[in-house]
Amino acid sequence: MDIGKVLQTLDNRLSNVERSPRLSHAAIDDTSVEVRDSTGSLRGLLGMQADGTTAVNVVNGPPPPQPSAPIVASVLGGVTVSWDGLFADGSVLPLDWARVEVHASILAVYDPIPATLQGTIETAQGATVVVPCDTDVYVRLVARNTSGTASTPSVVVGPFGPLPVVASDILDGIVTTVKLADDAVTQAKVAVGAIGSTEISDNAVTTPKIVAGAVQTAQLDAEAVNASKIAAGAVTTAKLDALAVTTDKLAANAVTVGKLSAGSVDATALAADAITGKTITGGTITGSLFQTDTTGERITLNEADANKILVYDATRAVAELSPDGLGLVGSTGAKMILDPNATYPTLRMSNAADTNEAIINVVEGTAGSADVGINSGKFTASALDWKWRTFFGNDFWVAERVRDGASTTNVGGRVALSATAATIGYNDSTDATADNNLTFISGTAQINGGRLEILPAAYATSALYLNAASGHTGNLLRLLLNGVDKFVVDKDGNVTIAGIGQRVTKRRTTDATKTSTTTVVADTQIASFTADANATYIVDGFLKYSGPGDFQMGWIVPSGTLGEWQGIGNGTTVIGYASGAIQSDASGTFGYMVRTEATDIASTRTYGGIGTSVFGVQVRGLFRVGATAGTISLAWAQGTSNATATTLYTDSHLRLEKVA
């Protein structure tokens, strides 16, 4: 055995193995690859996971960096805590970052524990959390990674407490007498003239409280003094006003015709029901009550001098027409009230118990407008009173779920229409991060704040269908993350995929020519393949050329890039075979010899040409990009300077695929 030949053979085989791509034909079947650090600790799992899914799972990662200081502000009922998405030492967001916890305590010095946890911020851009409290608190933040490992807590910020409630925060009419403590209102708090006779209940003043001579005739109501209060002989004829003595004060037959003066009996002297079956013509009737009956079903006019028309059923008033509006009561006790005493009328519809009502109102939101609002009755959800509101505004329409008595707070489904857009979605005015809306504008539909899930039933047609019109020039599909393209399908169906498996094809759509030059420069169309740092790419393709000056090609790559490539094509001198003989730089009707050398990416190769004969080069190679990202481009020129052009033809193309 020749030991020297054996060792040489083994050395050649080992070199081939080292030059070949790692794991180029490997597979991970029903298992996972463990990634461990220099100490042997498990840091990641690539492949099959314990729950049966397939993923790259980062575990036991180092603690996240310390979050920046929280931004705290006082609000009614508590404080708001915001994180700006930054870290105290200027670190970038770790790949295994999961969330930021918001902790609050009444103590200035404390460690974050479950009892101090008030909420979490799940978005890397930062957000705001509301912390309810009724006293001052101190706030700090803690970051956690996907393994649950906590960072060093942020600095403590505080104390901050809720804003005090001032008069401008109290709704009109919300403080009633039942809310006042006993003896809360003293004489010093009562304004001069604030209490009049209408505020004093009947019989509230007793005789010992009246100063002598305080009550004069002008202070007495009609008929306030009756016979039992008058001493015998106190009233004489001189003391009687005209018409002061009426028939009920006279004894039977006390007044005879002879006692009556001409014209002394007028309407004021007639008893009720004195005129029956007669027609009254002309004149004005004032100060009277008109009614169809005294009890039961009836209609009354000016009852109790109240300037109203009332309609009664058998037991109660069921309709009212007055300057205050129109009111109706149904057989169940439900009520409708039309109130005209505003810029526009309001219609209220309530139940018999007056515990709930729906309202239709018209308001002048802007000068001259007539906006319509429809409000449902209130209902209780999450221990709060809510209602649904529909509003037809000045060139817009909204339907939403709002708080009763706090109409600027809306949480739930919402539809909004305007002259330029239509939006349907979920809105939370207390937490903008929960918003998710689908908006339609001219030519575009957009989902903002949420994600789209399509869950079609089994069907014969496509679950997602897109058909662009003829003449469309933009992409058919484009998926991005943080503004970076991850998956793109252009109008011609070309697919660009970011990450391992990313494949990009560039081709010439026109012929290109070069004359009298051997300096290779980047092609204008087969160029600018994006190359990530520390990534590996394979390249393959077909280049079609002609020209007596030959075709020289090479590469422009990012600094630090290594690799090799091969082009299978003519040698610099074209060796052909025709009529049973080998010939140089002449057409070979039976074929040609080709060059097969491997070439470093830093070098160029020249492939021969014969006059205007068209040849091709099959290209394949591998690029290992270093720490510097950039672009990879085809560079070419003539192999030998010649005034006759070397042409790179339409449909020449290269394809770059990321493999690591």
Side-chain angles (χ1 to χ4, degrees), residues 361 372-376 379 387-392 397-403 406-410 413-415:
N361 64 318
V372 178
I374 302 176
N375 295 267
S376 74
F379 54 90
K387 64 183 179 182
W388 284 99
R389 174 179 65 185
T390 298
F391 192 79
F392 300 83
W397 175 83
V398 174
E400 58 191 345
R401 179 177 179 267
V402 299
R403 284 289 310 280
S407 59
T408 58
T409 300
N410 66 285
R414 188 174 190 271
V415 179

Side-chain angles (χ1 to χ4, degrees), residues 70 100 110 112 121-122 161 167 197 227 238 305 334 403 467 473 559 584 648:
V100 166
Y110 68 94
I121 295 173
E122 308 286 341
S197 60
D305 201 23
R403 284 289 310 280
N467 184 12
T473 59
S559 175
S584 299
L648 183 61

Side-chain angles (χ1 to χ4, degrees), residues 538-565:
I538 59 174
V539 63
D540 61 12
F542 167 73
L543 303 176
K544 177 182 175 182
Y545 72 93
S546 69
D550 301 336
F551 176 71
Q552 180 189 183
M553 63 169 288
W555 309 96
I556 297 176
V557 297
S559 175
T561 300
L562 302 175
E564 290 183 301
W565 65 282

Side-chain angles (χ1 to χ4, degrees), residues 9 35 56 127 131 168 263 265 298 310 334 340 343 401 425 436 440 483 491 503 520 532 558 566 570 641:
T9 300
V35 180
V56 176
V131 177
S168 60
V265 178
R298 64 191 185 278
L310 299 178
T343 304
R401 179 177 179 267
N436 183 10
F440 297 88
K491 67 179 181 62
R503 181 179 296 173
V520 297
D532 299 330
Q566 180 188 55
N570 293 333
S641 180

Side-chain angles (χ1 to χ4, degrees), residues 15-55:
S15 296
N16 290 333
V17 171
E18 290 177 341
R19 285 198 301 268
S20 65
R22 297 181 64 188
L23 296 179
S24 62
H25 302 289
I28 304 175
D29 296 332
D30 198 24
T31 185
S32 61
V33 176
E34 295 183 352
V35 180
R36 299 181 180 274
D37 60 18
S38 59
T39 66
S41 297
L42 181 65
R43 286 305 179 91
L45 293 171
L46 171 63
M48 189 69 69
Q49 304 298 311
D51 60 0
T53 61
T54 302

Side-chain angles (χ1 to χ4, degrees), residues 573-593 610:
T573 299
V574 180
I575 306 298
Y577 185 72
S579 302
I582 295 176
Q583 52 191 15
S584 299
D585 287 332
S587 297
T589 57
F590 294 164
Y592 299 88
M593 292 183 180
I610 304 173

Side-chain angles (χ1 to χ4, degrees), residues 41-402:
S41 297
L42 181 65
R43 286 305 179 91
L45 293 171
L46 171 63
M48 189 69 69
Q49 304 298 311
D51 60 0
T53 61
T54 302
V56 176
N57 186 18
V58 179
V59 299
N60 302 325
Q66 181 187 28
S68 60
I71 304 167
V72 186
S74 298
V75 295
L76 291 178
V79 297
T80 59
V81 180
S82 301
W83 177 53
D84 57 11
L86 303 177
F87 297 95
D89 59 358
S91 297
V92 297
L93 186 79
L95 290 179
D96 63 344
W97 178 90
R99 63 187 179 276
V100 166
E101 297 178 346
V102 178
H103 291 262
S105 172
I106 60 174
L107 301 176
V109 179
Y110 68 94
D111 292 324
I113 59 175
T116 64
L117 179 61
Q118 304 297 319
T120 61
I121 295 173
E122 308 286 341
T123 172
Q125 287 74 31
T128 299
V129 171
V130 178
V131 177
C133 61
D134 53 12
T135 187
D136 288 350
V137 295
Y138 297 83
V139 178
R140 64 192 322 186
L141 305 176
V142 175
R144 290 193 183 272
N145 61 19
T146 56
S147 302
T149 304
S151 70
T152 300
S154 73
V155 299
V156 176
V157 174
F160 281 88
L163 290 176
V165 178
V166 298
S168 60
D169 297 323
I170 301 176
L171 298 177
D172 293 343
I174 200 169
V175 178
T176 61
T177 56
V178 298
K179 303 298 183 180
L180 298 176
D182 292 343
D183 301 325
V185 180
T186 64
Q187 182 176 354
K189 301 298 183 182
V190 180
V192 176
I195 300 177
S197 60
T198 57
E199 283 73 34
I200 302 175
S201 23
D202 294 342
N203 301 318
V205 182
T206 60
T207 304
K209 302 299 184 181
I210 301 175
V211 179
V215 179
Q216 303 292 326
T217 303
Q219 278 73 46
L220 295 176
D221 289 338
E223 300 183 352
V225 180
N226 54 44
S228 62
K229 307 299 184 182
I230 303 174
V235 180
T236 63
T237 304
K239 303 296 186 181
L240 295 176
D241 290 334
L243 303 177
V245 180
T246 59
T247 56
D248 59 319
K249 303 297 190 289
L250 299 174
N253 301 319
V255 179
T256 63
V257 176
K259 302 296 186 181
L260 297 176
S261 301
S264 60
V265 178
D266 55 20
T268 60
L270 295 177
D273 302 326
I275 301 175
T276 60
K278 303 296 184 182
T279 299
I280 301 176
T281 302
T284 301
I285 301 174
T286 59
S288 299
L289 166 65
F290 288 85
Q291 57 187 17
T292 58
D293 206 336
T294 57
T295 60
E297 293 185 354
R298 64 191 185 278
I299 300 174
T300 69
L301 173 62
N302 201 34
E303 182 177 338
D305 201 23
N307 194 26
K308 298 178 181 179
I309 298 175
L310 299 178
V311 178
Y312 288 82
D313 63 10
T315 59
R316 61 184 174 175
V318 296
E320 174 187 317
L321 177 61
S322 72
D324 293 329
L326 174 64
L328 301 174
V329 179
S331 59
T332 64
K335 302 176 183 66
M336 294 177 61
I337 299 175
L338 180 61
D339 181 3
N341 292 316
T343 304
Y344 291 99
T346 297
L347 177 61
R348 296 178 178 271
M349 295 163 282
S350 63
N351 59 9
D354 280 331
T355 57
N356 209 346
E357 65 178 3
I359 300 174
I360 301 176
N361 64 318
V362 182
V363 297
E364 190 176 27
T366 58
S369 67
D371 303 333
V372 178
I374 302 176
N375 295 267
S376 74
K378 62 183 180 182
F379 54 90
T380 301
S382 303
L384 298 172
D385 287 338
W386 297 87
K387 64 183 179 182
W388 284 99
R389 174 179 65 185
T390 298
F391 192 79
F392 300 83
N394 192 358
D395 203 18
F396 72 93
W397 175 83
V398 174
E400 58 191 345
R401 179 177 179 267
V402 299

